[in-house]
């Protein structure tokens, strides 16, 4: 844990030294919420029926959608960012030559983006509450579990893209395709019940879909574990499967990079 | 303080080759062909615990590849590399607990952090508590003469300061083997000399840390190393102490001071192979002429040549063995090595 904390601390100090970028990053979540408030207010009458099962407030619905999609972005890019950032900075080999294991290094390097995403999530939910959205705060622990599972599920994509970058120097359109697909099928702006039935089954393999359903029920409707256990179980299964499939690819890519001497090349 | 009793380094027939990057044109002509660059070719070497060993070689000789293999960052294609009995391929985690590589790459520092934060980070990655890391950071900063600069951002350091900080960072763990890849590359001569003395006197002699120093500077290697190895095009051409190398590579050169008539006799000796090279020297000293003569076969052969000159009636004022210049010898060894650099699959 000490090693992870040391890496988070170093990353945080480094990030905070870029003061303007750091502050604008924090403010962006706050600013994003404002236009969404007015747009969703205008669309509320149209959307009310379709989102009835996931909280009846469309502003809250979209804010939680955007908040969880930030966790999707964190999950799907943080492992790749951690590795590539270290390669570009020239620190990767120095890290790998220490007696610190790869999972610890990765956890430490992903820690600061994790905390920043958490902070942005708090700002977004707080802003929604300020604008009158009723959040059931008793469901926060369950909501955190859902968020964590979404992040873990998408980190499988990130491990695969990191493996591709280590091997062929590009992950191609992988992350973009996953993001676009998740936005379309995950239900960020609309309920997945509105998706045409012929592609609705596809949304069940997108971690964002069960994640958003569970998160909205917990925070907007005050549902408990029994109401969302199906979605959470589904999400946990996806997270496990994605990690189990993609982790060997990264380990293989690292082995290959050590063999070809390209570990620190980009 | 920093560093622990050294452990040995063993290399047996280590081989490494890399695929060469090809142009688009080559690729279009032969998509499946590969060109290999041989980085290490059957390198065997043994460095004793607590020894200061220098690895000499020009750029591209394979020094950095060898160090990356020892740091577990690159896997060898063949052979065995071990540190303290742990092999780099089978027990990399144990190896990483023993070694500390010092790269000359300043980019591997965190430029937006202060020097002390850089050291704290790597102290933690070596398993130190915050208190121990702080204590050690202060000590190593003093050792590399960066005391008082701990709070400054590394980006504001000079190149030499960063180089010293890289050494300090390597000392944050408890290195039993220090791998130094051209550590004085960015230092001014005085700082480079100071660093060499520090490495030799403090880390190697006082603390017993095994040190491998890769450099292309003969002066640097001979200044601190007990033994040196000469690496060229991935092959270890020679290794040993200064005396060993002089003995094995020395070409038995003598300074001859004799009457001008010696020239004819020397020409005969060169023709029959008794002497290998005869180089007239300027200026002359009165009646006497000077030559540098290479006489293979040791001092006995030199005595024979002297006796033959005297027998032929040549007046000889002196025959003095020249102390070989090791740097010159090593350069000649490298120049002699003309092995092909590229193999085709």
């Amino acid at each position: 844990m000490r090693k992870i904390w040391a890496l988070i601390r170093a990353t945080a100090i480094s990030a905070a030294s870029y003061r303007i970028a750091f502050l604008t990053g924090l403010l962006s979540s706050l600013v994003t919420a404002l236009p969404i408030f007015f747009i969703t207010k205008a669309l509320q009458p149209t959307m009310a029926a379709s989102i009835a099962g996931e909280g009846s407030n469309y502003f809250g619905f979209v804010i939680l959608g955007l908040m969880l999609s930030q966790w999707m972005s964190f999950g799907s890019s943080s492992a790749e960012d951690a590795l590539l950032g270290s390669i570009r900075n020239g620190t990767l080999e120095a890290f790998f030559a220490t007696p610190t294991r790869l999972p610890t290094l990765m956890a430490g390097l992903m820690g600061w983006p994790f905390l920043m995403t958490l902070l942005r999530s708090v700002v977004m939910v707080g802003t929604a509450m300020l604008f009158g959205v009723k959040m059931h705060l008793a469901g926060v622990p369950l909501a955190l579990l859902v968020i964590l599972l979404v992040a873990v599920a998408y980190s499988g994509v990130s491990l695969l893209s990191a493996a591709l970058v280590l091997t062929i120097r590009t992950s191609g359109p992988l992350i973009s395709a996953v993001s676009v697909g998740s936005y379309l099928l995950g239900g960020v702006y609309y309920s997945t019940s509105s998706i045409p039935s012929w592609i609705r089954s596809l949304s069940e393999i997108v971690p964002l879909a069960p994640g958003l359903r569970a998160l909205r029920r917990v925070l907007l409707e005050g549902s408990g574990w029994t109401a969302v256990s199906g979605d959470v179980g589904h999400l946990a299964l996806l997270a496990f499967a994605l990690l189990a499939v993609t982790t060997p690819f990264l380990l293989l890519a690292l082995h290959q990079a050590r063999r070809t001497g390209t570990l620190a090349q980009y | 303080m920093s560093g622990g009793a050294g452990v040995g380094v063993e290399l047996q027939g280590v081989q490494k080759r890399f695929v060469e990057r090809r142009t688009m044109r080559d690729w279009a002509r032969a998509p499946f062909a590969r060109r290999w660059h041989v980085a290490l070719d059957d390198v065997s070497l043994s460095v004793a615990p607590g020894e200061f060993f220098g690895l000499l070689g020009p750029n591209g000789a394979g020094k950095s590849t060898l160090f990356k293999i020892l740091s577990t960052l690159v896997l060898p294609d063949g052979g065995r590399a071990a540190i303290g009995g742990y092999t780099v391929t089978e027990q990399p985690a144990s190896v990483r607990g023993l070694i500390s590589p010092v790269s000359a790459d300043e980019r591997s520092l965190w430029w937006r952090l202060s020097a002390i934060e850089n050291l704290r980070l790597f102290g933690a990655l070596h398993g130190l508590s915050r208190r121990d890391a702080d204590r050690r950071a202060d000590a190593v900063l003093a050792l590399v003469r960066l005391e008082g600069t701990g709070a400054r951002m590394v980006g504001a350091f000079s190149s030499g300061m960063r180089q010293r900080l890289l050494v300090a960072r390597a000392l944050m763990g408890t290195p039993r083997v220090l791998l130094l890849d051209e550590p004085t590359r960015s230092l001014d001569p005085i700082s480079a000399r100071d660093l060499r003395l520090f490495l030799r006197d403090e880390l190697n002699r006082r603390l017993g840390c095994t040190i491998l120093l890769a450099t292309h500077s003969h002066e640097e290697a001979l200044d601190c190393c007990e033994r040196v190895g000469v690496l060229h095009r991935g092959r270890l051409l020679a290794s040993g102490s200064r005396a060993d190398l002089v003995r094995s590579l020395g070409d038995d050169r003598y300074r001859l001071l004799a009457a001008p008539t010696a020239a004819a006799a020397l020409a005969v000796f060169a023709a029959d192979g008794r002497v290998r090279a005869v180089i007239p020297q300027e200026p002359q000293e009165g009646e006497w002429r000077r030559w540098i003569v290479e006489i293979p076969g040791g001092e006995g052969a030199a005595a024979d040549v002297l006796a033959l000159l005297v027998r032929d009636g040549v007046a000889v004022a002196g025959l003095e063995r020249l102390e070989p210049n090791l740097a010159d010898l090593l350069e000649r060894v490298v120049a002699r090595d003309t092995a092909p650099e590229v193999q085709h699959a």
Side-chain angles (χ1 to χ4, degrees), chain A residues 9 17 88-89 100 259, chain B residues 16 96 107 112 117 125:
Chain A
R9 181 183 151 80
S17 71
R88 290 194 190 111
N89 295 338
T100 302
R259 212 172 62 76
Chain B
K16 186 71 206 173
R96 285 195 284 269
R107 282 195 325 130
R112 304 291 293 188
E117 288 292 352
L125 294 180

Side-chain angles (χ1 to χ4, degrees), chain B residues 15 49 52 84 87 95 106 125 205:
Chain B
Q15 297 181 1
F52 201 140
T87 56
V95 168
E106 297 162 19
L125 294 180
R205 289 186 181 163

Side-chain angles (χ1 to χ4, degrees), chain B residues 6-9 45-54 176-178 203-205 208-213 224-229 240-241:
Chain B
V7 293
V9 177
L45 183 67
S46 180
V47 179
E51 187 178 356
F52 201 140
F53 187 88
R176 313 283 293 278
V177 177
L178 206 56
L203 292 183
N204 179 247
R205 289 186 181 163
C209 185
T210 307
I211 299 181
L212 269 75
L213 169 74
C224 20
C225 301
E226 294 149 28
R227 290 193 307 142
V228 294
S241 66

Side-chain angles (χ1 to χ4, degrees), chain B residues 37-332:
Chain B
H37 167 73
V38 178
L40 293 173
D41 185 5
D42 198 21
V43 173
S44 296
L45 183 67
S46 180
V47 179
E51 187 178 356
F52 201 140
F53 187 88
L55 202 55
L56 270 166
N59 292 332
K63 305 185 296 290
S64 296
T65 301
L66 188 58
F67 275 21
K68 284 189 177 182
I69 286 174
L70 291 173
S71 308
T72 74
L73 297 170
V74 167
L75 292 170
D77 292 337
R80 179 178 181 271
I83 292 184
Y86 299 111
T87 56
V88 295
T89 46
E90 305 296 325
Q91 297 136 306
S94 302
V95 168
R96 285 195 284 269
L98 297 174
I99 53 126
S100 233
V102 182
S103 140
D105 186 1
E106 297 162 19
R107 282 195 325 130
S108 70
L109 291 164
W110 285 50
W111 285 37
R112 304 291 293 188
L113 298 189
S114 66
I116 203 94
E117 288 292 352
N118 267 279
L119 297 180
R120 270 182 194 148
L121 171 62
F122 277 80
L125 294 180
H126 278 99
L128 296 182
S129 68
R130 172 68 183 266
R131 185 183 297 175
D132 286 346
D134 280 352
R135 199 179 298 142
R136 185 163 298 192
D138 287 339
V140 294
L141 280 175
L143 273 177
V144 298
R145 297 186 186 170
L146 285 176
E147 60 270 63
T149 63
R152 279 176 64 188
M153 200 190 265
V154 171
F157 274 23
S158 69
S159 194
M161 289 167 81
R162 286 190 207 115
Q163 202 66 58
R164 279 182 278 162
L165 186 61
L166 284 167
V167 176
R169 188 180 74 180
L171 300 177
M172 284 302 288
T174 312
R176 313 283 293 278
V177 177
L178 206 56
L179 303 171
L180 296 145
D181 194 357
E182 299 183 13
T184 57
R185 191 169 64 182
S186 311
L187 299 184
D188 60 79
I190 293 170
S191 301
R193 169 89 183 159
D194 285 352
L195 182 61
R196 285 200 292 269
L197 288 176
F198 162 70
L199 294 170
R200 190 188 64 190
D201 298 340
E202 188 65 22
L203 292 183
N204 179 247
R205 289 186 181 163
R206 196 170 80 76
L207 298 169
C209 185
T210 307
I211 299 181
L212 269 75
L213 169 74
T215 178
H216 54 243
S217 158
H218 300 115
E219 182 203 348
E220 184 162 273
L222 298 173
D223 207 14
C224 20
C225 301
E226 294 149 28
R227 290 193 307 142
V228 294
V230 185
L231 200 63
H232 186 238
R233 293 183 177 178
R235 291 187 298 152
L236 193 66
L237 300 181
S239 76
S241 66
R242 176 194 281 257
D244 289 340
L245 290 172
V246 166
R247 205 166 26 247
S248 64
L249 305 174
D251 36 15
D252 295 318
R253 290 182 164 210
Y254 295 82
R255 181 183 291 118
L256 174 68
L257 191 62
T261 51
L266 288 172
V268 173
F269 295 161
D272 66 17
R274 282 180 191 277
V275 301
R276 210 161 31 207
V278 179
I279 308 160
Q281 300 288 294
E282 296 291 338
Q284 300 168 3
E285 292 181 21
E287 297 294 310
W288 304 104
R289 303 285 183 273
R290 290 193 305 161
W291 291 268
I292 299 295
V293 187
E294 192 180 322
I295 308 172
E299 288 170 353
D304 288 347
V305 168
L306 180 61
L308 287 171
L309 283 171
V310 172
R311 191 199 64 187
D312 291 351
V314 177
V316 177
L319 182 67
E320 176 195 6
R321 191 171 195 274
L322 292 175
E323 191 60 39
N325 178 331
L326 188 54
D328 288 347
L329 287 181
L330 296 177
E331 273 172 17
R332 258 180 272 160

